[in-house]
Amino acid sequence: MVTIQRKGPISLNKAAFHAMGKPSCVELLYDPAERIVGLRPLKEQLPHAYPVRAQGRSNTYLVAGHAFMRYYSIPNEVSTRYIAQMFGDVLGVDLKQKGVQVTSNRKKAEDAASG
């Protein structure tokens, strides 16, 4: 699973991270005609590479994608989780599929406190 988070970060679950071979950095790709976001693992740090970092002690990994999302005008006002699949060596996310909107535990706590 891949989540395009509100305002840009891209999070990968453990299965997606392992499917790519546990890369330390990725190349972000986008096909505007097909509306597919791709993450290609890189073996070395290149100038256009995006580092992959573990999120705390969880099995979630983050890629900073804010500038990438803005450059391609990919909507990300709401965090949305998608099923990802491998296309050769690229992990692809088809934005045409209906993703699942997700909210953080913090948002749920804020809503409960205000309600």
Side-chain angles (χ1 to χ4, degrees):
M1 301 293 275
V2 172
T3 303
I4 297 179
Q5 295 184 19
R6 188 173 158 271
K7 299 194 179 186
I10 300 169
S11 64
L12 312 167
N13 70 0
K14 183 178 179 180
F17 180 67
H18 283 259
M20 289 193 303
K22 302 190 279 184
S24 61
C25 54
V26 296
E27 176 181 23
L28 294 178
L29 310 165
Y30 185 59
D31 180 336
E34 294 296 324
R35 295 192 56 224
I36 295 176
V37 172
L39 294 94
R40 177 181 294 144
L42 297 174
K43 292 183 169 65
E44 59 186 88
Q45 181 75 32
L46 299 174
H48 63 280
Y50 289 78
V52 178
R53 60 185 171 87
Q55 184 177 9
R57 295 181 184 183
S58 71
N59 286 320
T60 303
Y61 302 85
L62 292 176
V63 176
H66 177 73
F68 175 82
M69 297 295 169
R70 187 176 56 222
Y71 181 82
Y72 286 106
S73 300
I74 299 170
N76 60 339
E77 293 80 28
V78 176
S79 296
T80 307
R81 183 173 296 134
Y82 297 94
I83 295 172
Q85 66 182 52
M86 294 300 294
F87 296 94
D89 67 340
V90 176
L91 181 70
V93 178
D94 185 349
L95 300 179
K96 296 183 304 294
Q97 69 176 307
K98 182 171 172 58
V100 176
Q101 291 186 4
V102 294
T103 58
S104 71
N105 291 336
R106 183 181 322 153
K107 175 72 174 140
K108 289 176 189 174
E110 289 170 0
D111 290 347
S114 66

